Amino acid sequence: MPVVKYPRAAEPLWHEWDGKAQKCGLRHTVYAVNGDQYTGEWLDNLKHGKGTQIWKHTGAIYSGDWKFGKRDGYGSYSIPDPVTKEYKKVYTGWWKNNKKCGYGTMFYPSGESYEGEWSGGLRSGWGRMCYGDGSVYEGQWLADQHGGQGMLCLPNKNRYEGGWKDGKKHGPGQFFYLDKGQLLEGIWVADIPKCGIMIDFGRDEAPAPTRYPIPKV
């Protein structure tokens, strides 16, 4: 019995072209339609592994880890100075799902800096913030604000140690007036001390002590 052989259907050319266009593994610089460029590793046509992205509109650059098209892992983000055009670090640390997450250091345009933990792109956990006026906060953060237990040291060395909520002093705490040699220990609500006791503390070493010591009860 004769065997009839039918010709195999030819695969459309676009299938072959599409397969060659799929990016996988290490590639040289790939340019997007909007002018952004990426150099690094790919997986299934997505940025995955080590790579560097440059955004044309802002000139910003990210160099580090990627997972399935998003910044994920360890990496640094920098932007060019508008005057000198030199790159300045903005953030160095850990990322997850395109947002700062884990431990990292942030440098702000005003000269302020934060080093500590992040979650979902916000300061959350333990961290240390150095402010432009010389103040330093070290302690717990929640949703980008002081929240939990922490210490705020002012430029004149006076400091507050205690509870915080929504970025304000809240709960039991101590305020050390080292310039006057006094200590206020009490309860704060929304940055305002509601009750407490004031005692002399290091009065002999204070640069500007009160005229009279606080009498003992």
Side-chain angles (χ1 to χ4, degrees), residues 75-155:
S76 62
Y77 179 80
S78 305
I79 59 173
D81 186 276
V83 179
T84 65
K85 304 302 180 183
E86 293 182 358
Y87 276 96
K88 300 174 67 175
K89 283 278 180 69
V90 175
Y91 175 79
T92 300
W94 293 89
W95 302 73
K96 187 173 183 179
N97 199 27
N98 235 14
K99 295 181 179 179
K100 294 180 281 290
C101 187
Y103 197 89
T105 302
M106 180 84 174
F107 301 96
Y108 297 88
S110 58
E112 299 177 340
S113 64
Y114 170 82
E115 180 181 0
E117 296 176 301
W118 299 77
S119 179
L122 302 176
R123 293 167 290 186
S124 292
W126 179 93
R128 186 173 190 266
M129 182 79 186
C130 297
Y131 294 96
D133 63 356
S135 301
V136 177
Y137 172 82
E138 187 169 356
Q140 294 175 309
W141 294 74
L142 182 63
D144 228 29
Q145 293 185 321
H146 308 164
Q149 294 294 309
M151 177 184 71
L152 176 66
C153 184
L154 302 176

Side-chain angles (χ1 to χ4, degrees), residues 11-56:
E11 185 173 310
L13 282 177
W14 70 266
H15 279 190
E16 180 183 353
W17 296 338
D18 184 64
K20 291 181 178 179
Q22 295 295 311
K23 294 176 285 292
C24 189
L26 181 62
R27 287 291 184 95
H28 292 296
T29 303
V30 175
Y31 293 87
V33 176
N34 61 4
D36 296 347
Q37 53 182 288
Y38 172 82
T39 306
E41 297 176 298
W42 298 78
L43 179 65
D44 295 334
N45 219 34
L46 295 173
K47 301 161 194 166
H48 190 89
K50 300 287 185 182
T52 300
Q53 166 96 14
I54 300 177
W55 286 267
K56 180 180 180 181

Side-chain angles (χ1 to χ4, degrees), residues 130-217:
C130 297
Y131 294 96
D133 63 356
S135 301
V136 177
Y137 172 82
E138 187 169 356
Q140 294 175 309
W141 294 74
L142 182 63
D144 228 29
Q145 293 185 321
H146 308 164
Q149 294 294 309
M151 177 184 71
L152 176 66
C153 184
L154 302 176
N156 62 2
K157 304 305 179 183
N158 290 350
R159 71 178 187 272
Y160 169 82
E161 298 178 11
W164 297 81
K165 183 179 179 182
D166 298 329
K168 297 180 179 180
K169 305 177 194 69
H170 194 90
Q174 297 176 315
F175 201 107
F176 296 84
Y177 295 93
L178 300 182
D179 57 340
K180 298 179 180 179
Q182 294 180 330
L183 165 64
L184 172 60
E185 187 170 6
I187 305 293
W188 272 257
V189 176
D191 251 358
I192 300 175
K194 293 295 185 178
C195 63
I197 181 172
M198 181 80 81
I199 61 174
D200 284 327
F201 182 86
R203 190 171 182 275
D204 294 337
E205 295 81 24
T210 55
R211 185 173 182 180
Y212 300 105
I214 298 176
K216 296 182 179 181
V217 179

Side-chain angles (χ1 to χ4, degrees), residues 63-76:
S63 182
D65 296 324
W66 297 78
K67 282 186 180 179
F68 304 112
K70 295 182 179 180
R71 290 169 289 184
D72 201 305
Y74 189 86
S76 62

